[in-house]
Amino acid sequence: MNKSGGMVTVPRGITFQAYAQILTGGVVTQSVLVSIFVTGVGTLLATGVSIMAAYGLSRPGSLFHRGLLLFFVITMFFGAGMIPTYLLVSNLGLIDSLWSLILPSTVSAFNLLILRNFFMGIDRSITEAARIDGASDWRILRSIIIPMSKAVIAVITLFYGVMYWNSFFNAMLYLNDSSKWPLQLVLRSYVLQGQPVPGADAVDTGGAEVAGLPIKMAITVVAVIPILLVYPFIQRHFTKGVIFGAIKG
């Protein structure tokens, strides 16, 4: 960007002053920490719960597995709606809590079915042999199913990670305290809607403050970089993980 505000193709000088201004304190830095916490805890919790639920639903003899499977499939087409979900979160005392960003999205029926189908594609003779040797379901899941399903688990982990990192709607509904906003809500409010973010312009960087479009672009880059860094390591698992899991079973 030149001095008159126009865009240029080749930058004449590189400066990281905008990044220093938003990451040395204030609302943006706090929102980054909130997003990291929500994404890390939410992804671990959602992946763990989905693996255990998918393993139970993949065992034909497990208790109520057909009824539970039908229940999860129904939730893919009919949701509870915004108001009932808000009332449930409110009655659980999660308003203004970061757990309101994690718990309502813990299990995705779509990801659960992909995991279940992948688990059902594993040769049953392997698990039956382990059971004859005395292995419990926990031992079979930990020592056989999970090691043989690294591809699909990596992809599902990426799905949950991207979902939590990009989520902002739950924060709009359940968080009244702006100090708990995730980065995506700050991005939406400050960059897209042009609303001032309290504390974002009060950062002392030891030099001249940067304001306006460079700050908005810096926030956008900070919001995108984590996904760009993770995706190349997961991309090679997509064909084996998602497509195979969606077809088998």
Side-chain angles (χ1 to χ4, degrees):
M1 174 178 288
N2 55 28
K3 294 182 180 179
S4 60
M7 298 294 182
V8 296
T9 304
V10 180
R12 295 182 178 178
I14 299 177
T15 176
F16 297 97
Q17 191 173 355
Y19 297 98
Q21 184 168 330
I22 64 174
L23 295 178
T24 53
V27 173
V28 178
T29 304
Q30 180 67 24
S31 67
V32 171
L33 297 178
V34 169
S35 290
I36 292 174
F37 173 79
V38 171
T39 302
V41 175
T43 302
L44 288 176
L45 183 63
T47 303
V49 172
S50 297
I51 289 174
M52 289 186 288
Y55 175 71
L57 293 175
S58 67
R59 302 298 97 182
S62 58
L63 187 64
F64 302 132
H65 84 281
R66 290 187 181 277
L68 290 174
L69 180 61
L70 178 62
F71 171 77
F72 282 113
V73 171
I74 290 176
T75 61
M76 295 179 64
F77 301 99
F78 305 99
M82 184 190 309
I83 295 178
T85 304
Y86 180 86
L87 294 176
L88 176 62
V89 172
S90 178
N91 290 332
L92 291 175
L94 297 178
I95 298 297
D96 259 345
S97 169
L98 294 182
W99 289 106
S100 64
L101 309 182
I102 298 174
L103 295 181
S105 306
T106 299
V107 175
S108 163
F110 176 77
N111 294 338
L112 179 63
L113 292 179
I114 289 179
L115 278 172
R116 172 185 175 271
N117 288 345
F118 195 96
F119 291 167
M120 292 184 69
I122 298 175
D123 193 343
R124 291 189 60 187
S125 61
I126 300 175
T127 58
E128 292 300 329
R131 194 176 298 278
I132 291 174
D133 290 338
S136 63
D137 282 322
W138 285 107
R139 181 63 182 274
I140 293 174
L141 177 62
R142 185 177 68 253
S143 303
I144 297 177
I145 300 298
I146 291 179
M148 296 181 67
S149 307
K150 290 181 179 178
V152 69
I153 292 175
V155 174
I156 295 302
T157 302
L158 177 64
F159 283 173
Y160 279 124
V162 173
M163 179 194 70
Y164 278 113
W165 182 261
N166 290 331
S167 177
F168 69 93
F169 192 68
N170 284 349
M172 290 177 56
L173 293 177
Y174 307 134
L175 296 182
N176 300 317
D177 185 357
S178 62
S179 65
K180 298 179 181 178
W181 283 4
L183 179 61
Q184 302 301 332
L185 186 53
V186 173
L187 179 69
R188 178 183 181 277
S189 301
Y190 185 58
V191 177
L192 298 182
Q193 297 183 335
Q195 297 177 358
V197 177
D201 296 331
V203 180
D204 182 10
T205 61
E209 285 191 352
V210 178
L213 189 57
I215 290 292
K216 295 179 180 179
M217 295 298 101
I219 297 175
T220 304
V221 170
V222 171
V224 172
I225 280 181
I227 302 302
L228 292 179
L229 294 178
V230 172
Y231 183 78
F233 297 98
I234 307 295
Q235 186 270 340
R236 61 191 177 94
H237 296 300
F238 262 79
T239 301
K240 185 177 179 180
V242 176
I243 298 179
F244 183 79
I247 294 175
K248 296 293 288 184

